[in-house]
Amino acid sequence: MKKISRLLLFLAAVGLVTGAVIKLQGFKNIGDVFLGVSTLIWFYIISSFIYERAKKDKLKTN
């Protein structure tokens, strides 16, 4: 799981930079696609982190 998370984190960072550069070049639609996909990846990473942390805390209390 950690390898996949690191890969997704790398792809999200690259997507943000690529989307911003493409938008600055004047291609609004494809820049929005890159930024949207990278935002979805960030949401997935953050939600999985919160889920794992909550699961770990629940195991500590039991």
Side-chain angles (χ1 to χ4, degrees):
M1 179 72 181
K2 282 197 177 246
K3 254 187 183 178
I4 294 172
S5 294
R6 288 183 186 204
L7 176 66
L8 286 176
L9 187 62
F10 176 74
L11 289 175
V14 168
L16 280 175
V17 172
T18 305
V21 168
I22 289 173
K23 272 190 95 150
L24 288 173
Q25 294 294 325
F27 301 103
K28 184 179 179 196
N29 291 336
I30 194 153
D32 287 339
V33 169
F34 273 97
L35 290 173
V37 169
S38 63
T39 302
L40 289 175
I41 294 172
W42 279 108
F43 281 141
Y44 174 76
I45 291 169
I46 292 169
S47 64
S48 65
F49 175 74
I50 291 171
Y51 176 74
E52 285 181 23
R53 182 125 181 172
K55 191 170 136 182
K56 193 183 293 184
D57 288 341
K58 189 175 182 181
L59 288 175
K60 281 184 181 178
T61 58
N62 287 336

